[in-house]
Amino acid sequence: MTSGSPMKLDAVTKPVGFACDDHASCVVDGLSAAEARCASNGLRFTPVRRKVLEILLQEHRALGAYVILDRLRDEGFGSQPPVAYRALDFLVRNGLAHKIERLNAFIACAHPGENHAPAFMICRLCDSVAEAQSAPAQGALGAAARATGFKIERTVVEAEGVCPSCSDTAASEATDSGSATSEARG
Amino acid sequence: MTSGSPMKLDAVTKPVGFACDDHASCVVDGLSAAEARCASNGLRFTPVRRKVLEILLQEHRALGAYVILDRLRDEGFGSQPPVAYRALDFLVRNGLAHKIERLNAFIACAHPGENHAPAFMICRLCDSVAEAQSAPAQGALGAAARATGFKIERTVVEAEGVCPSCSDTAASEATDSGSATSEARG
DNA sequence: GTCCTCCATGTGATCTTATAACGTTTCAAA
DNA sequence: TTTGAAACGTTATAAGATCACATGGAGGAC
């Protein structure tokens, strides 16, 4: 994750997660966006909720509720499951975080404030998760829904595969065929 | 589910699940398709596996592993979790069943034999689930994947909403405004 | 046929994920 | 300052999933 790619996509359509340029700003920006959002919507952005969001923002991957709970305990917050689940529920309800169903884990929203149908790309090698926009109602699923009369309220779109970084690693390892020039991967 | 709709869509693209015309045939056809598939692929379609698929085929909704396990016990099979999970794993690996991630539950595949990227429509009122085809790589998700260099290997596409049957019920209840003419829903 | 191996099954234990229930605290509006 | 809703802390337990190890049966090698 020592990227330096000059590529810069439009903020709205940019898939966020793989290769972020300035990770510190992810956390700071994410927290202030959340703060603003809660203030303008009359929501209480309490210490636990803030801390959980901060924990999520610190990684571009999904964290299980019990991992979050451990970190909360380390920070002096309550250490029982409902503490984490309630905060996560708040964040998810208000569009500040998402649940990755495939992993039973949670990730900070990369586009807070925008009304969106998120889609996720999950790397099965390094566990990183990137968020993109989806438009499931416009594709085959939408057609099927219209054909049957099903009313879509919410969609889960998650792709599992290999992220560009791991893909490069795998490719160079295959080339080197055994000699380990590239960095190790957990 | 007292359908009589004459609508008949192409077998391949037809979303299966809501309003099936002949439910007995779902089970029979599903089992024989599975049998044929296993025979031709050298897979062992053992009694437990067959029974689990039969249990799944009996409903157009997703069943939790422990519900399946209960039914297995009733039929004289082993009653420990691995019994159900192993059979489910076999069915999922071989395309005879799918896991609905959103529900942590399982459903029989409606298009066995076809190589497909399934999409599901989940009714939040009656829990019925219909399977349709998706083409996630052709939409916004595919574009995002190509843009970032992510290699999609598998996709989860699940829509949550209201099925046509429940939609009708809700509409007529709203019209009747309190008087209960339509059938009750558990 | 006998042995042997692989795969499937049975079972107990354990781990992970998630929620119910209930009392206490906080906060802001009346 | 009262009061009511929302948030929090904690205990207990439900629900989902896997580990580890012993047993059993089908099919190939000999």
Side-chain angles (χ1 to χ4, degrees):
Chain A
M1 299 300 168
T2 58
S3 139
S5 148
M7 175 170 19
K8 191 99 186 179
L9 297 168
D10 173 33
V12 176
T13 51
K14 172 185 174 189
V16 178
F18 304 138
C20 79
D21 286 339
D22 176 5
H23 189 50
S25 75
C26 294
V27 179
V28 174
D29 294 356
L31 284 176
S32 40
E35 201 140 9
R37 191 169 164 71
C38 288
S40 73
N41 290 41
L43 303 169
R44 291 166 61 181
F45 197 43
T46 65
V48 204
R49 291 169 176 178
R50 184 189 180 86
K51 177 53 75 178
V52 170
L53 183 57
E54 188 184 334
I55 290 168
L56 292 177
L57 283 165
Q58 277 160 0
E59 327 222 2
H60 288 299
R61 56 196 189 93
L63 296 179
Y66 282 70
V67 170
I68 293 166
L69 190 55
D70 283 345
R71 303 205 186 166
L72 283 179
R73 182 189 299 109
D74 294 346
E75 304 272 352
F77 291 88
S79 61
Q80 299 303 315
V83 173
Y85 280 104
R86 283 195 286 236
L88 287 166
D89 182 60
F90 170 87
L91 296 173
V92 169
R93 269 196 339 259
N94 296 108
L96 300 170
H98 300 291
K99 180 171 188 184
I100 308 295
E101 299 290 346
R102 173 80 182 139
L103 303 176
N104 291 320
F106 301 83
I107 191 165
C109 178
H111 310 289
E114 298 159 31
N115 208 17
H116 58 277
F120 300 95
M121 294 178 279
I122 307 165
C123 178
R124 69 172 160 79
L125 295 177
C126 70
D127 284 333
S128 66
V129 175
E131 178 177 347
Q133 305 284 0
S134 74
Q138 288 166 29
L141 177 58
R146 281 188 297 278
T148 51
F150 182 84
K151 296 204 181 93
I152 296 179
E153 293 174 345
R154 192 183 166 288
T155 57
V156 172
V157 178
E158 297 170 1
E160 199 172 6
V162 180
C163 76
S165 163
C166 289
S167 206
D168 291 350
T169 303
S172 63
E173 272 173 2
T175 308
D176 303 351
S177 199
S179 81
T181 39
S182 42
E183 75 272 42
R185 304 215 139 261
Chain B
M1 300 294 171
T2 58
S3 140
S5 150
M7 174 169 24
K8 192 99 185 180
L9 297 168
D10 172 34
V12 176
T13 52
K14 172 186 174 190
V16 178
F18 304 137
C20 79
D21 286 341
D22 177 4
H23 189 49
S25 75
C26 294
V27 179
V28 174
D29 294 356
L31 284 175
S32 41
E35 201 140 9
R37 190 169 165 71
C38 289
S40 72
N41 290 40
L43 303 168
R44 290 166 63 181
F45 197 44
T46 65
V48 204
R49 293 168 176 178
R50 184 188 179 86
K51 177 51 76 178
V52 170
L53 182 58
E54 187 184 334
I55 290 168
L56 291 177
L57 283 165
Q58 277 160 0
E59 327 223 0
H60 288 298
R61 56 196 189 92
L63 296 179
Y66 281 70
V67 169
I68 292 166
L69 190 55
D70 283 346
R71 303 205 185 165
L72 282 179
R73 181 189 299 111
D74 294 346
E75 304 272 351
F77 292 90
S79 61
Q80 298 302 315
V83 173
Y85 281 104
R86 283 195 285 236
L88 287 166
D89 182 59
F90 170 87
L91 296 173
V92 169
R93 270 198 335 263
N94 296 109
L96 299 170
H98 300 290
K99 179 171 188 184
I100 308 295
E101 299 290 345
R102 172 80 181 141
L103 303 176
N104 291 321
F106 301 83
I107 191 164
C109 177
H111 310 289
E114 298 159 31
N115 208 16
H116 57 278
F120 300 95
M121 294 177 278
I122 307 164
C123 178
R124 69 172 160 79
L125 296 177
C126 70
D127 284 333
S128 66
V129 174
E131 177 177 349
Q133 305 284 1
S134 74
Q138 289 166 28
L141 177 58
R146 281 189 297 278
T148 50
F150 182 85
K151 297 205 182 92
I152 296 178
E153 292 174 347
R154 191 183 166 291
T155 57
V156 173
V157 179
E158 297 170 1
E160 199 172 9
V162 180
C163 76
S165 163
C166 289
S167 206
D168 291 350
T169 303
S172 63
E173 273 174 1
T175 308
D176 303 353
S177 198
S179 81
T181 38
S182 41
E183 75 272 42
R185 304 214 140 262

